[in-house]
Amino acid sequence: MPWLAWLLAAAALGAAEFFTLTLVFGLLAGAALVAAVVAGVGIGLLGQLVALGLAAAAGLLVVRPIALRAMAQSPLTHEGSDALIGKRAEVVQEVTATHGLIKVSGEEWSARALDETHVIPVGALVDVMEIEGATAVVYPRELLP
């Protein structure tokens, strides 16, 4: 019957994690599940406590830092206008340091040249380097290293 107590403890810790989102209670709930399995196999209280301690230590010292590091990173997918950065576009209207028009991903965008000295002719291929408001800042592909 001690395995049932460990399952109840795991459920309580899981509920606490749900409300706090610290990753601590969730890892302790996982450790309680390990202790429940050990109890279910028939190992005594000392073995259950050792299993609980080892699983909790592994979770808090190994898993939690890795999870926190992964959560702190920016997502790999970009949305909205950020998704256009790095895309190839075609010049529809001559692009200078102040104005121009490009077609990227099937949409026409106002554009300006990244280098103020460049004048990019119609039909040239460019890369979108950044987005400033509703204007794409572009650089000609043939000048890229």
Side-chain angles (χ1 to χ4, degrees):
M1 192 71 157
W3 61 270
L4 184 58
W6 288 117
L7 285 180
L8 291 174
L13 289 165
E17 177 63 36
F18 179 77
F19 290 110
T20 62
L21 299 176
T22 60
L23 294 177
V24 173
F25 291 115
L27 292 170
L28 292 176
L33 285 175
V34 169
V37 169
V38 170
V41 171
I43 297 177
L45 182 61
L46 181 62
Q48 296 168 29
L49 292 175
V50 168
L52 175 75
L54 290 175
L60 295 175
L61 297 175
V62 177
V63 175
R64 187 170 188 264
I66 293 170
L68 290 176
R69 197 174 321 120
M71 289 177 10
Q73 293 177 350
S74 62
L76 296 176
T77 59
H78 297 286
E79 298 175 347
S81 61
D82 286 342
L84 298 177
I85 296 174
K87 295 259 182 171
R88 185 178 65 174
E90 183 179 351
V91 176
V92 175
Q93 183 183 58
E94 184 178 75
V95 176
T96 65
T98 57
H99 68 280
L101 194 64
I102 62 168
K103 188 166 192 168
V104 58
S105 296
E107 299 176 337
E108 289 189 352
W109 276 73
S110 60
R112 71 171 183 81
L114 178 66
D115 186 348
E116 295 177 1
T117 62
H118 285 146
V119 175
I120 307 168
V122 174
L125 295 178
V126 295
D127 282 322
V128 178
M129 305 305 280
E130 59 185 287
I131 301 290
E132 290 179 353
T135 303
V137 180
V138 298
Y139 195 82
R141 286 187 70 86
E142 63 270 357
L143 297 178
L144 290 176

